Every structure is written in structure tokens, then in C-alpha cells.
């Protein structure tokens, strides 16, 4: 029995070492050098080419190396009967919280405005915003969003949460799917921590931006497909939105000629808000591998109908 580590853009050498450090009996090979293809029971995948999983006749589990699984679900070369598990780690939630806190501090201290002023040598002081000046709307209340929303609420922000099914979270005012506009109209900052599904595509659009409280900011760390890029540009031009912090994009890396690069009201980060930490991933992979080896279901299985 073996695990195949497959990625076109991650170096999995350290992951291989960590998995074998936890259980030296597991055979772990890194794609494309997979020794015995029929021995592979689990494929750990991130950014894989189509058909990369076709050569393994005894595959029992596909383990995503990240929380997002849309690319794996869209890959028609993967048979629908093979279960897919997502990466669901405490460290993804704590790292994401740190990213959102950083963006919120920048919003409160007018970072986008002062950086633009610095490049023009302009002295223009503004009042710093306090926690209580901003209502934060967290879209997606799963592993990451539920932790982020509750932590921000504990820091003194007014926090609202929105998810497909209604949640009960201490200190967070929760809304369900059909209450999107009622939710957004009470928020200064919309933070997307949603998966990429048919239903979440294009949610961050001009109509939603117009309904928000002023000043209005967007933080997108979910997936780039959720944002209508042209609507954001228009909303910045017309002052419906004052600034955006974007970590994910429709196409990554973001094209060099994309309009976002030249906007002083947009902060771009290269999909680093919460990167999977190797040691934590290795522990989850070994746990899921032991589970499937004993005939148990893996943890954090994706529901193909929901798309996450
Ligand atoms: P989970 O699956 O735990 O949570 C997803 C949440 O989104 C759930 O609350 C779910 O609702 C909600 N949701 C899904 N579809 C809809 C919809 N149509 N309308 C309203 N709510 C919806 O995922 P995680 O918290 O682990 O991760 C979330 C996403 O964050 C990932 O899929 C990935 O895209 C992104 N991510 C980005 C990273 C980065 O570095 N930028 C790092 C890690 C993750 P319900 O609870 O009712 O099911
Ligand atoms: C993601 C991740 O899904 O890096 O973006 O986990």
C-alpha cells in the first residue's frame, strides 16, 4: 500500500519526509516517480494535470492538499466513485484569521490611502477607525469562517455571518443563504471565505457592493471566481467601494496586464492568506491513510453534490 504525492507547483519532498517520520512503514512516492502504481491507495493532490490519477487502479482516496477542491471536482478524468477529502486544519483557520486581522488593521489605519499619498508626497491626515466603527460580514462559516468570525467578534468588532445553512455562533449574528442582501446591507467589510462552486461564482458583484454600509471594503480570500472583476473596478471608480484586499483571482498568477495591478485602492497578495502547513498536513494524511487502510471513511470528505 502506498501514497502518491502529486503536484505541478509544490515541492513535496518535506511532506514525504514528514509522513515517513510519522509512519516509516508507509511507502510514499513523489509524482512522476511512482514506483508501483497498483500499490497506490491514496493520492495527495494540488494543481494536478488532467489524467494524473488515471494510472492507479486501486486508488481509494484523493486527498486535496488544500481546503479548496473545485479543480479536483471539475476534472472529468477522475472517476466519481473515488472519495475526495479536503484539507481542514486548525492552522488554516488561525493563519487566515491573521491575514484578515492584518487587512482590517490596514483598513482602520487607511493604509491604501496613505500608501497612495506617499507615492505623491501628499500629507493628508484622517481619523483612525476603531473596532466599533466597522461591521464585518463573513461569507462562509465552515472550518475557517466560523473561527475567523468568532475571533473577530471577541475582539470587539460587530460581526455578521452568512452561510448556506443557518449557524448558531456565539457573538456572531448569523444569516442563511436567502438572506444575502439583508446581511450585506449591514456590513462595511465583506470577507469571502467561501469555496468555489456554481452557486458562489459571481456573488461579489455591483448590486451587492451598492447595498453595503459606507465606508465599504472587500476582502476576498475565498476564490477569485466569487468576484466580478469589472464590477469591482466600476465600484471603485464610483466610490461604492473604498478598497479591496484580494488574495485569490479568477486566473492565477494574476495576468501582468490585469487592471487590479494599477489600482491604488487594491491590495494584491499572491494566494498566501493561509497556506497548508506541512507538519499539519502530514498528520492529517497519515490519519486518513490509517482510516482507509482499516476500512473506515476518511475525515473531511467532500460532498460532490454541494461541491465542497
Ligand atoms: P468549509 O467547507 O469548512 O466551509 C465552507 C463554508 O461555505 C460553509 O459554511 C458553507 O455553508 C459555506 N457555503 C458554501 N456554499 C455556499 C453558498 N452557496 N452560499 C452560502 N454559503 C455557502 O471550507 P473551509 O472553511 O475549510 O474553506 C473555505 C474556502 O476558503 C476554501 O474552499 C477555499 O476556497 C478558501 N481558502 C483559501 C485559502 C487562501 O489561502 N486564500 C486557504 C484556505 C482556504 P454550510 O456551513 O451551510 O455548509
Ligand atoms: C486553498 C488552500 O484552498 O490553499 O486555497 O488551502
Amino acid at each position: 500500500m502506498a501514497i502518491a504525492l502529486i503536484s505541478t507547483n509544490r515541492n513535496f519532498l518535506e511532506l514525504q519526509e514528514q509522513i515517513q517520520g510519522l509512519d516509516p512503514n508507509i511507502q510514499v512516492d513523489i509524482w512522476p516517480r511512482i514506483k508501483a502504481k497498483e500499490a497506490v491507495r491514496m493520492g495527495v493532490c494540488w494543481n494536478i494535470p488532467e489524467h494524473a490519477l488515471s494510472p492507479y487502479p486501486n486508488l481509494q482516496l484523493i486527498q486535496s492538499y488544500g481546503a479548496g477542491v473545485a479543480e479536483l471536482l471539475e476534472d472529468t478524468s477522475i472517476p466519481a466513485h473515488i472519495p475526495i477529502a479536503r484539507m481542514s486544519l486548525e492552522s488554516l483557520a488561525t493563519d487566515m484569521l491573521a491575514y484578515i486581522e492584518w487587512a482590517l488593521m490596514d483598513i482602520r489605519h487607511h493604509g491604501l490611502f496613505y500608501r497612495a499619498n506617499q507615492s505623491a508626497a501628499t500629507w493628508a491626515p484622517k481619523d483612525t477607525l476603531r473596532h466599533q466603527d466597522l461591521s464585518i460580514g463573513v461569507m462562509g462559516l465552515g472550518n475557517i469562517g466560523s473561527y475567523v468570525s468568532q475571533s473577530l467578534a471577541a475582539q470587539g468588532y460587530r460581526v455578521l455571518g452568512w452561510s448556506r445553512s443557518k449557524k448558531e455562533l456565539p457573538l456572531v449574528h448569523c444569516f442563511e443563504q436567502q438572506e444575502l442582501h439583508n446581511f450585506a446591507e449591514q456590513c462595511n467589510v465583506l470577507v469571502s471565505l467561501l469555496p468555489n462552486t456554481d452557486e458562489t461564482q459571481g456573488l461579489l458583484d455591483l448590486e451587492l457592493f451598492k447595498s453595503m454600509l459606507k465606508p465599504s471594503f472587500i476582502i476576498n480570500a475565498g476564490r477569485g471566481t466569487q468576484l466580478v472583476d469589472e464590477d469591482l473596478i466600476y465600484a471603485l471608480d464610483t466610490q461604492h467601494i473604498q478598497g479591496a484586499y484580494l488574495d485569490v483571482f479568477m486566473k492565477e498568477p494574476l495576468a501582468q496586464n490585469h487592471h487590479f495591478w494599477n489600482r491604488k485602492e487594491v491590495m494584491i497578495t499572491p494566494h498566501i492568506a493561509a497556506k497548508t502547513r506541512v507538519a499539519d498536513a502530514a498528520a492529517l494524511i497519515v490519519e486518513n491513510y490509517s482510516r482507509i487502510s482499516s476500512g473506515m471513511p476518511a475525515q473531511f470528505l467532500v460532498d460532490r453534490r454541494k461541491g465542497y
Side-chain angles (χ1 to χ4, degrees):
M1 301 246 302
I3 299 178
L5 308 180
I6 309 174
S7 176
T8 50
N9 65 355
R10 288 284 158 105
N11 179 345
F12 275 150
L13 263 178
E14 194 189 339
L15 181 63
Q16 181 188 42
E17 273 170 33
Q18 297 255 0
I19 295 171
Q20 287 179 326
L22 291 171
D23 186 344
N25 298 316
I26 305 179
Q27 171 69 39
V28 187
D29 292 335
I30 301 178
W31 178 85
R33 278 187 283 280
I34 309 291
K35 292 191 191 95
K37 296 196 173 40
E38 55 296 336
V40 171
R41 296 290 188 278
M42 181 174 180
V44 176
C45 302
W46 192 247
N47 259 297
I48 62 168
E50 228 181 298
H51 293 290
L53 288 169
S54 304
Y56 311 109
N58 298 313
L59 196 60
Q60 290 174 7
L61 179 68
I62 298 165
Q63 170 71 59
S64 169
Y65 190 68
V69 290
E71 296 78 7
L72 289 168
L73 292 174
E74 278 160 17
D75 185 337
T76 51
S77 71
I78 298 177
H81 69 271
I82 303 179
I84 298 177
R86 46 196 190 83
M87 207 36 87
S88 188
L89 302 170
E90 195 181 318
S91 54
L92 283 174
T94 53
D95 286 349
M96 185 63 82
L97 174 65
Y99 179 87
I100 306 299
E101 285 173 333
W102 161 75
L104 290 174
M105 287 304 276
D106 201 62
I107 289 171
R108 288 171 50 197
H109 292 270
H110 309 292
L112 294 165
F113 178 75
Y114 292 135
R115 280 190 291 274
N117 284 355
Q118 182 165 336
S119 58
T122 300
W123 183 272
K126 278 192 183 201
D127 289 342
T128 297
L129 300 172
R130 301 158 303 169
H131 287 105
Q132 60 267 39
D133 296 325
L134 294 175
S135 287
I136 317 296
V138 177
M139 303 171 76
L141 298 173
N143 174 49
I144 299 175
S146 61
Y147 179 77
V148 167
S149 57
Q150 290 177 87
S151 307
L152 295 177
Q155 291 172 22
Y157 290 104
R158 176 168 188 259
V159 181
L160 300 87
W162 179 74
S163 55
R164 192 180 155 98
S165 56
K166 185 137 182 189
K167 300 278 178 298
E168 299 279 341
L169 298 176
L171 303 175
V172 180
H173 185 179
C174 295
F175 293 76
E176 60 193 317
Q177 200 172 19
Q178 59 270 33
E179 299 175 306
L180 176 61
H181 282 270
N182 185 12
F183 154 81
E185 67 192 21
Q186 299 179 55
C187 301
N188 297 102
V189 185
L190 285 180
V191 179
S192 178
L193 297 174
L194 290 163
N196 174 17
T197 68
D198 291 347
E199 284 185 357
T200 62
Q201 288 173 13
L203 275 179
L204 298 171
D205 67 0
L206 188 59
E207 196 192 339
L208 201 69
F209 301 154
K210 282 183 175 171
S211 69
M212 293 170 66
L213 293 177
K214 290 278 168 313
S216 322
F217 294 88
I218 301 299
I219 302 175
N220 188 13
R223 278 293 181 269
T225 49
Q226 286 144 26
L227 176 67
V228 181
D229 293 4
E230 317 79 78
D231 284 14
L232 177 61
I233 301 275
Y234 180 83
L236 292 168
D237 286 342
T238 51
Q239 303 283 300
H240 283 105
I241 295 285
Q242 277 61 55
Y245 296 75
L246 306 178
D247 185 57
V248 286
F249 301 90
M250 188 78 78
K251 190 168 183 315
E252 295 178 6
L254 185 64
Q256 292 209 319
N257 62 355
H258 197 289
H259 289 303
F260 287 157
W261 289 114
N262 300 318
R263 299 298 306 218
K264 58 186 186 325
E265 318 91 326
V266 176
M267 178 79 206
I268 293 170
T269 51
H271 201 144
I272 48 68
K275 288 181 75 179
T276 300
R277 292 187 182 269
V278 178
D280 299 343
L284 175 57
I285 290 164
V286 170
E287 168 70 24
N288 269 350
Y289 184 79
S290 322
R291 282 170 171 253
I292 60 164
S293 306
S294 352
M296 281 170 67
Q299 290 180 297
F300 310 118
L301 286 176
V302 170
D303 179 336
R304 284 176 182 270
R305 279 164 311 138
K306 287 204 234 165
Y308 62 97

